[in-house]
């Protein structure tokens, strides 16, 4: 989101899902200049007794192996949590 009415957001609901089901959001590839850093910002809300986990991965190439950048399991609380991740080209 851009913090304005012209921004966007994505919402995926975990209610009524079977244990072990997953939702996955993929972005188009983007290039980070060598030696530079990109910041990825995410807001998440994990509330409820049956909340699963949130994992954020990156790949350096299409079809390449995934690198885990962040993982959170179980309930966090009834509020939105902000996550800022610095992503490099390595």
């Amino acid at each position: 989101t851009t913090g304005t009415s012209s921004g966007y957001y994505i919402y995926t609901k975990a209610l009524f899902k079977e244990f072990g089901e997953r939702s996955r959001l993929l972005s188009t590839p983007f290039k980070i200049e060598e030696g530079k850093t990109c910041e990825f910002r995410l807001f998440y809300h994990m509330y409820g007794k049956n909340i699963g986990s949130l994992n954020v991965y990156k790949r350096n190439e299409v079809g390449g192996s995934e690198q885990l950048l962040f993982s959170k399991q179980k309930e966090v609380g009834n509020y939105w949590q902000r996550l800022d991740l610095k992503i490099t080209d390595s």
Side-chain angles (χ1 to χ4, degrees), residues 10 23-30 40 55 57-59 62-63 66:
I10 296 172
S23 292
R24 204 169 164 114
L25 173 66
L26 302 171
S27 77
T28 57
F30 60 93
F40 173 75
N55 298 304
Y57 299 90
K58 80 164 191 168
R59 284 189 230 195
V62 175
E66 296 176 335

Side-chain angles (χ1 to χ4, degrees), residues 20-88:
E21 280 189 287
R22 297 177 181 188
S23 292
R24 204 169 164 114
L25 173 66
L26 302 171
S27 77
T28 57
F30 60 93
K31 177 134 177 80
I32 301 172
E33 293 180 36
E34 188 173 333
K36 300 282 182 162
T37 305
C38 177
E39 188 168 283
F40 173 75
R41 178 170 291 160
L42 170 73
F43 292 88
Y44 62 93
H45 186 273
M46 296 174 71
Y47 180 68
K49 65 180 180 176
N50 294 320
I51 251 342
S53 61
L54 171 66
N55 298 304
V56 178
Y57 299 90
K58 80 164 191 168
R59 284 189 230 195
N60 288 338
E61 57 189 42
V62 175
S65 61
E66 296 176 335
Q67 176 186 353
L68 181 65
L69 300 178
F70 174 82
S71 184
K72 183 66 78 174
Q73 290 80 35
K74 311 274 185 211
E75 179 178 328
V76 173
N78 193 11
Y79 55 89
W80 288 94
Q81 180 71 37
R82 179 174 141 177
L83 172 65
D84 293 313
L85 295 172
K86 296 202 183 301
I87 301 175
T88 63

